[in-house]
Amino acid sequence: MAKAEFTDQLQKLRSGEISEIKVQPTEFMDFQEAFMDFEARKRVIGTAQKGGIVVYTFEKAQSE
C-alpha cells in the first residue's frame, strides 16, 4: 500500500468506517509517512503481532 492509501485508511479508521489497519513489515515505511502527517495520530494505537505485523486501532474519546 502506498502513503496515499494509508492516509485514506487512517481517515476511515478515525471515522469508524473500519475498525483496524493491519500493517505488514514491508509496508511500514509507507504507513509511517502517512501516520506522521495524520493530525490525530496520538489517538492511533498500534499493537504488535507475530511476524512483525502491527494492528492499529483508533481510540475514541469517552464523550464520543
Side-chain angles (χ1 to χ4, degrees):
M1 230 184 280
K3 177 186 174 185
E5 292 172 295
F6 278 121
T7 298
D8 183 54
Q9 291 290 299
L10 285 164
Q11 292 296 340
K12 288 179 179 179
L13 187 64
R14 182 180 190 179
S15 71
E17 221 175 300
I18 61 174
S19 61
E20 65 182 29
I21 301 171
K22 284 188 181 179
V23 179
Q24 301 293 325
T26 56
E27 303 172 312
F28 181 76
M29 292 310 294
D30 290 328
F31 173 79
Q32 182 69 8
E33 285 184 45
F35 177 74
M36 292 308 292
D37 290 340
F38 188 58
E39 66 280 355
R41 71 177 173 264
K42 290 185 179 187
R43 294 177 60 193
V44 176
I45 308 299
T47 306
Q49 305 290 311
K50 212 173 196 181
I53 298 167
V54 181
V55 177
Y56 292 92
T57 56
F58 192 79
E59 179 183 69
K60 296 282 186 187
Q62 290 180 354
S63 61
E64 292 180 42

